């Protein structure tokens, strides 16, 4: 896609699932990729290997650079260090993908303040801190840039038992719009991609159980869960110059899940 070759990109939580697929896809588009992981580097190493294999197709030194960066996005000092490391190693940072995310299931009247803060801390505060540090850098170097937040259909669909997750993604919508408006004149575009039900480790409660999977898929108008690669394709589009005139938007990649699926049959 236009405008991605040679762009320096940081993808948070890129050692599995959607983040891993985004890193691979952006490397295939010619981006240099900084792969963030929280604790163990093994998943991030797997991402790096797959990304370079697919991007370079066994050609040595195909021009795509990669970097593993440890950091907990909910910790301010980690985020500052992570962005500084990427800028130091790559020379700049053009594209930030705020993908790291967690969820906990609990009745809303029982969730502890610590559990609530943990989810908000990673999904919302962490995304904001990464955006803040990236924007600071872009303004200092007077560069244009792109930020993409990985939201969720639960940005707009309420999710009982997951109140902190729903709040974090709802807040992400406003963060996307606010930052998009504030920095539009500096050439910084901020958008969200909101996946529907996607087959990744975060959903292992139903992806490996055919009965539960069938129930989930019965609510999806197009009848199937999505893949990480389908989410990564939307991210690549929004990151590219094909989307040069798009900012402040959420692109729902959900096979119609947000279309009130129960109204499929007009007589029901
Ligand atoms: P996943 O569990 O595979 O990925 C989440 C990643 O975030 C993991 O690699 C994890 O290590 C990382 N992470 C967690 N806490 C972190 C922290 N403090 N610092 C840095 N990294 C951290 O699940 P996924 O489905 O690929 O989720 C990726 C994003 O997509 C999340 O933001 C999630 O909310 C969103 N999403 C997923 C779905 C879905 O159905 N899978 C649907 C909507 C939105």
């Amino acid at each position: 896609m236009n405008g991605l070759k040679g762009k320096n990109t940081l993808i948070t939580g890129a050692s599995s699932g959607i983040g891993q697929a985004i890193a691979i896809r952006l490397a295939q588009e010619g981006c240099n990729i900084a792969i963030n992981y929280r604790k163990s580097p093994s998943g991030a190493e797997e991402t790096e290997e797959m990304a370079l294999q697919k991007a370079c197709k066994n050609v040595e030194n195909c021009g795509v650079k990669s970097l593993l960066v440890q950091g907990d996005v909910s910790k301010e000092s980690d985020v500052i260090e992570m962005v500084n490391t990427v800028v130091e190693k790559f020379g700049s940072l053009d594209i930030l993908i705020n993908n790291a995310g967690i969820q906990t299931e609990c009745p809303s009247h029982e969730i502890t303040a610590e559990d609530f803060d943990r989810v908000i801390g990673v999904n919302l505060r962490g995304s904001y801190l990464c955006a803040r540090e990236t924007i600071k850098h872009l303004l200092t170097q007077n560069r244009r840039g792109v930020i993409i937040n990985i939201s969720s259909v639960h940005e707009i669909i309420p999710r009982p038992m997951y109140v902190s997750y729903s709040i974090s993604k709802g807040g992400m919508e406003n963060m996307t719009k606010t930052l998009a408006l504030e920095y539009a004149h500096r050439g910084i575009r901020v958008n969200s991609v909101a996946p529907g039900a996607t087959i990744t480790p975060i959903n292992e409660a139903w992806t490996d159980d055919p009965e539960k999977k069938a129930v989930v898929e019965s609510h999806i108008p197009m009848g199937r869960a999505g893949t990480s690669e389908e989410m990564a394709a939307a991210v690549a589009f929004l990151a590219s110059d094909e989307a040069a005139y798009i900012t402040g938007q959420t692109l729902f990649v959900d096979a119609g899940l947000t279309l009130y699926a129960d109204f499929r049959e007009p007589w029901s």
Side-chain angles (χ1 to χ4, degrees):
M1 282 188 197
N2 283 340
L4 287 177
K5 201 166 189 315
K7 288 281 161 65
N8 298 323
T9 308
L10 167 63
I11 307 109
T12 66
S15 48
S16 59
I18 294 171
Q20 182 171 74
I22 293 169
I24 293 170
R25 176 63 193 258
L26 291 179
Q28 286 179 297
E29 297 289 343
C31 292
N32 300 319
I33 49 166
I35 301 161
N36 159 251
Y37 64 96
R38 186 170 67 92
K39 265 191 177 159
S40 154
S42 61
E45 285 163 2
E46 185 189 276
T47 302
E48 182 177 46
E49 198 183 317
M50 289 197 288
L52 293 181
Q53 215 172 49
K54 292 203 172 176
C56 299
K57 298 194 184 88
N58 299 326
V59 175
E60 264 182 59
N61 299 327
C62 71
V64 170
K65 291 187 240 163
S66 63
L67 175 69
L68 302 194
V69 269
Q70 191 277 330
D72 179 338
V73 298
S74 66
K75 292 193 179 141
E76 187 177 27
S77 55
D78 280 21
V79 172
I80 293 171
E81 200 180 320
M82 179 167 70
V83 171
N84 283 345
T85 304
V86 176
V87 171
E88 197 182 296
K89 296 270 163 73
F90 284 167
S92 66
L93 174 57
D94 304 296
I95 300 169
L96 165 71
I97 314 293
N98 270 321
N99 167 78
I102 54 171
Q103 60 184 22
T104 52
E105 182 183 346
C106 185
S108 295
H109 63 286
E110 286 176 2
I111 188 165
T112 63
E114 288 75 19
D115 281 351
F116 181 86
D117 288 349
R118 204 157 48 82
V119 175
I120 300 292
V122 174
N123 298 7
L124 187 56
R125 184 172 177 275
S127 297
Y128 165 66
L129 291 174
C130 292
R132 187 191 72 184
E133 290 310 301
T134 302
I135 291 169
K136 253 187 223 171
H137 157 71
L138 290 168
L139 297 181
T140 306
Q141 288 200 355
N142 202 15
R143 293 176 81 85
R144 304 167 79 81
V146 174
I147 296 173
I148 297 174
N149 300 313
I150 305 303
S151 180
S152 164
V153 287
H154 298 295
E155 175 173 310
I156 57 169
I157 303 178
R159 193 178 185 195
M161 309 281 284
Y162 290 85
V163 70
S164 50
Y165 186 80
S166 286
I167 291 172
S168 72
K169 299 300 186 181
M172 195 172 242
E173 180 190 10
N174 199 296
M175 181 177 81
T176 296
K177 288 181 174 170
T178 302
L179 296 179
L181 183 57
E182 194 167 343
Y183 298 102
H185 70 295
R186 298 298 299 260
I188 300 172
R189 295 189 298 108
V190 187
N191 290 294
S192 287
V193 166
T198 310
I199 298 171
T200 72
I202 213 173
N203 284 329
E204 58 195 9
W206 58 264
T207 48
D208 297 335
D209 179 327
E211 270 177 37
K212 286 183 185 162
K213 188 161 178 264
V215 172
V216 170
E217 292 186 330
S218 71
H219 296 292
I220 302 171
M222 290 178 76
R224 66 170 177 87
T227 65
S228 295
E229 290 71 24
E230 287 169 323
M231 306 308 141
V235 170
F237 163 67
L238 283 176
S240 78
D241 287 351
E242 310 288 342
Y245 207 57
I246 302 176
T247 197
Q249 304 302 310
T250 297
L251 176 54
F252 287 88
V253 186
D254 66 355
L257 187 57
T258 41
L259 299 177
Y260 298 93
D262 286 349
F263 284 83
R264 265 176 291 196
E265 315 290 341
W267 49 87
S268 64

